[in-house]
Amino acid sequence: AITDKEKQDPKIENFIKPYRDHIDNDLNSILAYSPETLDKSSGKWQTTIGNLMADATLQCGNPIFLSREKKNIDLCILNHGGIRAILPKGNVTTRTAYEIMPFENSLVVIALKGEQIFEMVDYFIATQKPHPLSGITFTIGKDNVAKNILIQGKPVLKETIYYVATNDYLANGGDNMNFFKKGTQKYDMDYKLRNILIDYFKEVDTIPVLNDIRVTIE
């Protein structure tokens, strides 16, 4: 840790300053514009920032998975608790990505059978949190049981293998996502979720506000 004595030493300060300025410039570089504030408390079952993060993960992760494995990612699930900040209205910078995603989590794709997808949806309903989802839609019935579960618009089949994008923490059963432990294969993409956000921001120019219905309540 830097002591107060060192902070006052102009020689050290002069040495550090160019590095600090360089990092600040990098973090403050404007990547995109957001027409409104995206907040993880914006909805009970889904949020605008959650939709954005899951879509960005699928969108940026899929070309890499496709080129490596000749397969497409079918869906994405992340954890609501992993979103650490809002995406404020206005200019979106590299710093914004660091604030939203301060952890070193990276993208993992897990091959899951349809049976585990049913477990995943049960988990989603039981935790009552708007975990970010992309590529999957379903209805929560009056009895709190899911129905009409669709992946990429098609009904889920018990024995079919689906390729699910998530982060390395959840892939190992973090946040009690134990269904991931039953995966038949695991692919580490060596792609940090924060870098996915940065790449996505650079690509889109204007941040979309994603209000499409992914989880329907009966």
Side-chain angles (χ1 to χ4, degrees):
I2 296 175
T3 62
D4 284 339
K5 187 165 177 279
E6 283 174 76
K7 273 190 196 147
Q8 289 154 6
D9 187 330
K11 281 208 276 301
I12 290 177
E13 182 47 45
N14 290 341
F15 179 74
I16 291 172
K17 192 177 187 307
Y19 295 99
R20 185 183 286 133
D21 290 350
H22 175 75
I23 289 168
D24 271 345
N25 285 341
D26 202 35
L27 288 174
N28 293 332
S29 60
I30 295 167
L31 308 179
Y33 176 80
S34 182
E36 59 180 78
T37 296
L38 307 188
D39 190 331
K40 75 174 201 175
S41 60
S42 65
K44 179 168 163 57
W45 293 106
Q46 47 182 103
T47 68
T48 46
I49 193 168
N51 290 352
L52 181 87
M53 286 180 72
D55 280 13
T57 303
L58 218 157
Q59 213 170 301
C60 296
N62 198 53
I64 300 167
F65 189 62
L66 189 57
S67 70
R68 281 196 209 166
E69 303 298 332
K70 308 288 174 274
K71 298 176 177 86
N72 281 299
I73 297 172
D74 294 299
L75 69 145
C76 173
I77 181 169
L78 301 169
N79 53 332
H80 181 247
I83 307 169
R84 307 306 281 197
I86 60 166
L87 193 149
K89 180 181 175 174
N91 289 333
V92 176
T93 63
T94 308
R95 193 185 298 275
T96 315
Y98 273 83
E99 286 168 351
I100 293 169
M101 190 41 75
F103 313 116
E104 297 302 309
N105 289 120
S106 60
L107 173 63
V108 172
V109 178
I110 304 273
L112 288 184
K113 281 189 165 179
E115 217 167 326
Q116 272 65 63
I117 301 294
F118 296 139
E119 288 179 36
M120 184 186 103
V121 172
D122 288 345
Y123 167 92
F124 183 94
I125 296 170
T127 54
Q128 298 201 345
K129 286 189 178 127
H131 300 298
L133 294 175
S134 183
I136 183 169
T137 57
F138 54 88
T139 298
I140 302 174
K142 288 193 175 67
D143 52 2
N144 242 9
V145 177
K147 52 187 186 190
N148 305 337
I149 306 169
L150 303 177
I151 291 177
Q152 298 296 339
K154 297 187 186 110
V156 179
L157 303 171
K158 206 172 160 186
E159 290 302 319
T160 300
I161 297 281
Y162 297 94
Y163 295 95
V164 186
T166 190
N167 64 46
D168 51 351
Y169 166 69
L170 300 173
N172 295 320
D175 278 8
N176 297 319
M177 290 203 188
N178 297 320
F179 46 87
F180 277 129
K181 294 182 184 169
K182 299 176 187 175
T184 56
Q185 259 177 307
K186 184 177 182 176
Y187 307 87
D188 200 329
M189 298 285 102
D190 298 313
Y191 193 180
K192 285 193 170 45
L193 257 59
R194 178 196 307 128
N195 292 341
I196 285 177
L197 274 185
I198 291 169
D199 290 345
Y200 179 82
F201 291 158
K202 284 178 181 167
E203 239 172 76
V204 295
D205 190 49
T206 301
I207 305 290
V209 181
L210 303 160
N211 285 314
D212 57 300
I213 306 297
R214 301 175 190 200
V215 181
T216 309
I217 314 302
E218 210 173 53

